[in-house]
Amino acid sequence: MKVFKFLLSFLITAALIYLLDHSWIVKGNRLPPLGKFLDPFHGFWQNIEQKDDSTHTEPLVIPGLKDKVTVLYDSIGIPHIFANNDEDLYFAQGYVTARDRLWQMEIQTHAAAGRVSEIVGAIALENDRAARRLGMVYGAEHALTGMMKNPTTKMMVEKYTEGVNAYINTLQDKDLPFEYKLLDYKPEPWTTLKCALLLKNMAKTLCMGDKDIEMTNALKLYGKDVLELLYPDREPVGDPIVDNANGWKFKPITFDSVPRAVPDEYMQVAKLPGADPTTGSNNWAVSGSKTATGAPILCGDPHLNLSLPSLWYVVQLHAPGTNAMGASLPGSPAIIIGFTDSVAWSVTNAQRDLVDWYAIEFENGKRDKYMLDGKWTDAKKVAEQIIVRGADTFYDTVVYTHWGPVTYDENFKDKDNHKQYAFRWMAHDESEELMTFYKLNRAKNHNDYLDALNHYSTPPQNFVFASAGGDIAMRIQGKYPVRRPFEGKFVLDGSISSNGWQAYIPYDQNVQYKNPARGFASSANQYPVDATYPYYITGVNFEAYRNRRINAVLAASNKITVEDMMRLQNDNFNLKASESLPIFLSQLDSAHLSPDEVKAFNILKHWNYINDKDSEGAAYYEAWWNNVMPLTWDELEKNNITLSRPTTFNTIRLIKEKPDFIFFDIQGTPEKETAREVIRKAFSLGVQDISTWKKEHGDIVHWGQYKDSFIGHLLRLEPLSVHVLAGGNRDIVNAHSKTHGPSWRMIVSLEKSGVKAWGIYPGGQSGNPGSSHYVNMVNTWVDGKYYPLLFLQHPEASATTSLLLNPETK
């Protein structure tokens, strides 16, 4: 009996050890070894930080530093780095950023490189294949080549990398960020290539959009006249970023026009998802002639996917020759959006089309050679080895051509293709964006700003600027190919090299102006320039509402204060609704509405067009609008043919101006509908959607609840995410939709007595869910409030905590 009890106890113990020491897959999700994860000395308990941060840490000896560095942390966790030279400045930036955001830095660069399957298994395989076939590493390698040619940017990425690795080398198992313990893996050394990958990952978000395949299909289906009606390059909305009619005095580069080269077959591919349509941004600078203090005010709020850890990491960088503060990207040196003692800058996405697709003709099925200019030209094959945790390694072959990688073929996203398509992307080229930010972080005036932007190529951005000297400016900066009319709008013939980009717009001919007469410069992703600008411009789509609301408020305002600018950044007025709802309501027959529809009609009739979180009208309008689009454009849902919907603005314009347009005929019904019937049916469906929602949530619908915005953890884990009740929406200045919104709000008053700044973002400085600085800014951000940014001038200033980094030799 004793032997039996011993054996039973031994087997149970052995089974528990085995179960607790191994990771398991449950419903597609990998669980960590629970023994290690729950270990009180090394597990996740060690990631729960004390809220009392008042104690000062002992000096740390850090190999690789040349001199001592002082890092002061303020009450919201922002590090203020004081170094005695540039090398130590970027070393320390890498160190302190990794200290707060190491896991985020690694998972984002793994995603860019197509390596997430190594960590989470087969669930990430398709995304990894997509990253490889889009040439993300290919582009990062070229970018790194450009960085290494410049001694300054070479120093920046090398020292930043050394700093990240210096922090990694201090880590023991108990110190690992929470997600490493949850996923049961350890960080690998940081590399300079990862800095480039981080920047390419941002370029993917901002300038990988295109409609070439969709436009080619639409042209074949509907013809040129209908195509230009549905998808005009320039919508009749006005208010471009720069309106300089007949003021362009340079001699543009021109080419002889060439006919469109449209493939014979439809483009039948399961196209990779493009950028989220809610991705965008606002920025503006107001001249001192319109402000209460007489000093320029600059404002910026980039709208991106809201995540935890937060996309941005706020930092101050102080060294001889530089004192800059603002938002950095974890994984890249320098400050991307911010201010110095003398200037401030912010960016919005320029929306330009920098992607082209080329149909490739291979000699045979081996794909060793492809046709180019009448000759069979050697292709380059890259064997991609994708390690998949818990499964066999996956192998994929990506063929590279003169244009770039062949993304779509019979092995990837195939839907009975007859040809294969190569991907030409501006972000694949060599570049030196880091030099732009190095110089902006040291800028003193408008000339410095222009000099900095002359190093910037991609992703193209609308750089707004203001200086304590009184100047304001806007420059739409990027490396833009000189395009012939309609070039880049359709898939091109890849067998002719002259179909490629033959020249680039000189930087001094990019759209720009300084000190406009109206007293402010602004951008919100709208069409960039007036019709007299001599170069052809095309893009995925340009914004039509936020920019006009911003400009109307600024034009009507004088004696502007910082508080006025805070209110404008949080403005919830729905210009789209104010222009469309009266027309929609006029199409309804109030005598034939159901009781629920009558209630909705009256709510909408008395709505003030403001998308506050408590608004009922905003919820009813959005439910209505969400049914208008699919009913109108149901013809575009064709099997195996890739098409895209026209823009919101153009849809409303067609409802107003062409109510009998053939596309308003709803497919699947025997009647021939017009815009009136579409609007009426969409209204009924929208009211039904609200009624269904009420069954689960209560009798009154509020916009914040109906929108149900959330800030999701990068692992998409609900317990680590945050749901918020907030106003705003896409097409609104406060562009907070369900998952996207203002990722960093900044306001800078450039007063000669000293720059003053305020900022906020939805998250916190720490990437550790156990930290008091993980989500401490979220509620402040939702409420439209700001923190004054502590812009320190010397390392002896008071702070909540300090971190002293000393070199080995001193």
Side-chain angles (χ1 to χ4, degrees):
M1 190 66 179
K2 289 182 179 180
V3 173
F4 173 76
K5 288 182 177 180
F6 170 78
L7 289 174
L8 180 62
S9 176
F10 174 80
L11 290 172
I12 291 173
T13 301
L16 285 173
I17 291 173
Y18 182 80
L19 288 170
L20 295 175
D21 200 43
H22 288 75
S23 62
W24 302 91
I25 305 296
V26 178
K27 293 183 178 180
N29 296 311
R30 178 176 293 276
L31 297 180
L34 292 179
K36 291 168 62 177
F37 188 66
L38 298 175
D39 179 352
F41 300 105
H42 302 93
F44 83 95
W45 307 101
Q46 296 295 320
N47 298 100
I48 301 174
E49 297 179 0
Q50 298 295 320
K51 291 186 177 180
D52 181 11
D53 293 328
S54 61
T55 58
H56 289 249
T57 59
E58 292 296 320
L60 300 176
V61 176
I62 307 295
L65 284 174
K66 294 172 64 177
D67 205 342
K68 67 178 182 179
V69 176
T70 300
V71 184
L72 304 178
Y73 286 88
D74 61 28
S75 62
I76 54 176
I78 295 174
H80 305 258
I81 303 173
F82 289 83
N84 293 319
N85 56 77
D86 281 351
E87 290 90 340
D88 285 351
L89 183 68
Y90 295 114
F91 185 107
Q93 186 185 6
Y95 186 94
V96 301
T97 305
R99 194 167 177 256
D100 277 329
R101 300 290 188 87
L102 178 62
W103 178 80
Q104 174 191 13
M105 293 161 61
E106 184 161 75
I107 199 67
Q108 288 181 333
T109 50
H110 267 61
R115 295 181 54 202
V116 178
S117 297
E118 295 178 24
I119 298 170
V120 302
I123 192 172
L125 181 57
E126 282 303 293
N127 286 335
D128 283 349
R129 290 188 70 193
R132 308 284 181 110
R133 284 175 164 269
L134 290 169
M136 295 294 289
V137 171
Y138 172 74
E141 289 172 342
H142 288 167
L144 184 60
T145 298
M147 293 178 197
M148 292 304 181
K149 288 179 179 178
N150 184 312
T152 299
T153 53
K154 180 176 185 290
M155 174 274 295
M156 293 171 74
V157 295
E158 287 183 342
K159 288 301 176 180
Y160 189 92
T161 296
E162 288 178 28
V164 175
N165 285 327
Y167 176 71
I168 291 173
N169 292 337
T170 69
L171 294 175
Q172 302 177 36
D173 284 353
K174 66 181 180 65
D175 305 317
L176 290 174
F178 170 80
E179 290 86 355
Y180 287 105
K181 297 174 183 178
L182 184 65
L183 297 170
D184 188 30
Y185 78 110
K186 293 183 179 181
E188 66 183 24
W190 193 258
T191 65
T192 53
L193 180 63
K194 290 192 173 193
C195 293
L197 277 167
L198 189 280
L199 294 174
K200 293 299 113 173
N201 202 42
M202 182 58 73
K204 178 184 176 185
T205 298
L206 296 174
C207 77
M208 197 179 267
D210 77 281
K211 296 192 296 188
D212 300 12
I213 291 173
E214 295 91 332
M215 292 302 97
T216 302
N217 288 338
L219 180 63
K220 290 183 64 60
L221 277 170
Y222 305 120
K224 178 176 178 293
D225 291 342
V226 172
L227 178 94
E228 292 183 1
L229 185 63
L230 296 179
Y231 311 103
D233 283 322
R234 183 189 182 101
E235 295 177 332
V237 64
D239 231 343
I241 295 173
V242 173
D243 193 347
N244 187 34
N246 299 310
W248 311 103
K249 303 303 182 183
F250 53 79
K251 183 178 180 181
I253 298 171
T254 58
F255 296 120
D256 292 335
S257 184
V258 294
R260 289 187 292 266
V262 180
D264 293 333
E265 74 282 352
Y266 290 114
M267 308 291 104
Q268 296 174 300
V269 297
K271 194 176 177 186
L272 291 167
D276 190 287
T278 59
T279 297
S281 305
N282 305 322
N283 67 19
W284 62 86
V286 182
S287 171
S289 63
K290 288 177 70 70
T291 69
T293 64
I297 298 176
L298 182 139
C299 306
D301 54 294
H303 309 154
L304 296 162
N305 183 52
L306 304 181
S307 64
L308 295 171
S310 296
L311 173 69
W312 301 103
Y313 183 72
V314 184
V315 64
Q316 181 180 356
L317 301 178
H318 189 291
T322 183
N323 187 19
M325 187 173 184
S328 70
L329 288 169
S332 177
I335 289 165
I336 307 300
I337 299 173
F339 57 94
T340 71
D341 296 308
S342 307
V343 307
W345 71 95
S346 187
V347 296
T348 67
N349 199 23
Q351 307 295 99
R352 296 278 271 277
D353 178 9
L354 296 180
V355 168
D356 281 342
W357 292 95
Y358 292 87
I360 302 300
E361 179 187 353
F362 285 102
E363 184 178 26
N364 52 46
K366 294 182 179 180
R367 301 192 298 170
D368 292 326
K369 295 180 182 292
Y370 66 100
M371 179 58 65
L372 185 67
D373 294 335
K375 299 177 182 178
W376 293 113
T377 303
D378 289 337
K380 178 184 177 182
K381 292 183 177 179
V382 176
E384 296 285 359
Q385 181 184 34
I386 304 177
I387 298 170
V388 183
R389 188 173 186 177
D392 293 336
T393 297
F394 185 90
Y395 295 92
D396 197 5
T397 298
V398 181
V399 179
Y400 281 77
T401 68
H402 167 78
W403 310 108
V406 175
T407 302
Y408 300 126
D409 59 24
E410 68 274 12
N411 298 313
F412 187 75
K413 301 293 182 180
D414 176 52
K415 293 175 73 174
D416 299 322
N417 275 320
H418 299 294
K419 285 202 175 183
Q420 302 182 51
Y421 304 99
F423 175 55
R424 175 71 174 104
W425 185 32
M426 184 64 77
H428 282 158
D429 294 1
E430 269 191 33
S431 57
E432 54 173 5
E433 287 77 31
L434 278 184
M435 195 63 190
T436 293
F437 299 110
Y438 178 87
K439 291 195 169 191
L440 282 176
N441 289 187
R442 290 157 176 78
K444 299 294 184 183
N445 51 47
H446 183 261
N447 286 337
D448 291 345
Y449 155 81
L450 293 180
D451 178 51
L453 295 195
N454 285 336
H455 296 272
Y456 189 88
S457 60
T458 187
Q461 298 287 288
N462 307 307
F463 281 84
V464 74
F465 166 87
S467 73
D471 291 325
I472 64 171
M474 178 73 71
R475 183 167 177 178
I476 302 178
Q477 180 60 26
K479 183 181 177 183
Y480 304 119
V482 177
R483 293 191 182 276
R484 290 152 284 199
F486 300 106
E487 182 183 339
K489 195 166 183 173
F490 306 101
V491 175
L492 294 162
D493 182 352
S495 69
I496 304 171
S497 61
S498 62
N499 282 339
W501 303 338
Q502 302 298 307
Y504 301 95
I505 299 173
Y507 282 170
D508 62 359
Q509 295 182 11
N510 277 345
V511 178
Q512 58 189 304
Y513 64 179
K514 175 185 178 184
N515 296 329
R518 64 182 179 175
F520 64 90
S522 73
S523 73
N525 315 116
Q526 74 266 41
Y527 195 82
V529 68
D530 62 85
T532 67
Y533 184 67
Y535 290 108
Y536 173 70
I537 293 173
T538 186
V540 177
N541 68 279
F542 295 102
E543 202 277 332
Y545 297 101
R546 284 183 283 112
N547 70 93
R548 289 190 286 140
R549 173 62 177 171
I550 291 167
N551 289 353
V553 171
L554 293 178
S557 303
N558 288 298
K559 302 297 181 182
I560 293 171
T561 65
V562 166
E563 290 73 23
D564 293 331
M565 299 297 88
M566 290 178 177
R567 282 190 289 272
L568 182 53
Q569 281 192 335
N570 289 275
D571 183 84
N572 287 325
F573 181 77
N574 192 330
L575 179 60
K576 179 180 80 174
S578 74
E579 293 181 346
S580 61
L581 183 57
I583 297 167
F584 288 5
L585 289 173
S586 70
Q587 305 300 305
L588 300 180
D589 183 356
S590 58
H592 294 87
L593 300 180
S594 71
D596 282 346
E597 290 172 350
V598 169
K599 180 179 178 181
F601 179 88
N602 288 326
I603 288 172
L604 287 166
K605 186 176 180 180
H606 295 96
W607 179 39
N608 60 3
Y609 308 123
I610 295 176
N611 275 56
D612 286 342
K613 64 182 179 181
D614 295 325
S615 172
E616 288 186 273
Y620 275 104
Y621 175 81
E622 192 66 20
W624 192 352
W625 176 254
N626 286 342
N627 283 284
V628 169
M629 288 294 274
L631 284 177
T632 300
W633 304 118
D634 53 346
E635 290 88 349
L636 305 180
E637 306 299 325
K638 294 184 178 294
N639 293 333
N640 293 329
I641 298 180
T642 306
L643 295 164
S644 63
R645 292 175 180 172
T647 65
T648 292
F649 178 84
N650 206 37
T651 300
I652 293 171
R653 182 173 73 91
L654 291 171
I655 288 171
K656 293 178 181 178
E657 298 177 5
K658 294 184 177 294
D660 296 326
F661 190 39
I662 190 172
F663 280 87
F664 291 121
D665 184 22
I666 299 172
Q667 302 294 290
T669 67
E671 299 82 14
K672 182 178 180 180
E673 290 88 359
T674 65
R676 178 186 291 270
E677 285 75 43
V678 167
I679 289 169
R680 288 180 172 182
K681 184 170 183 178
F683 177 72
S684 296
L685 292 173
V687 173
Q688 290 175 29
D689 290 343
I690 294 288
S691 297
T692 301
W693 184 91
K694 285 182 176 181
K695 290 177 182 178
E696 183 177 348
H697 298 90
D699 291 337
I700 299 177
V701 58
H702 293 300
W703 172 235
Q705 271 188 302
Y706 188 73
K707 184 174 59 156
D708 187 27
S709 298
F710 68 92
I711 306 169
H713 188 271
L714 287 173
L715 281 178
R716 301 176 185 174
L717 295 175
E718 182 68 23
L720 301 180
S721 303
V722 176
H723 285 256
V724 295
L725 296 177
N729 202 21
R730 66 176 71 183
D731 302 313
I732 293 173
V733 178
N734 179 21
H736 184 202
S737 62
K738 186 176 180 68
T739 59
H740 287 61
S743 58
W744 162 241
R745 291 187 181 121
M746 180 185 77
I747 297 174
V748 185
S749 180
L750 290 137
E751 300 171 25
K752 291 184 178 180
S753 60
V755 173
K756 298 176 182 177
W758 295 261
I760 188 70
Y761 65 84
Q765 286 287 96
S766 176
N768 175 18
S771 169
S772 60
H773 292 301
Y774 180 61
V775 293
N776 59 304
M777 298 188 200
V778 170
N779 289 336
T780 307
W781 176 85
V782 169
D783 292 340
K785 298 178 181 178
Y786 296 72
Y787 291 101
L789 297 177
L790 188 63
F791 191 40
L792 303 179
Q793 302 299 314
H794 53 79
E796 290 75 32
S798 61
T800 303
T801 61
S802 63
L803 179 67
L804 304 178
L805 307 179
N806 289 337
E808 277 188 310
T809 56
K810 294 185 180 180

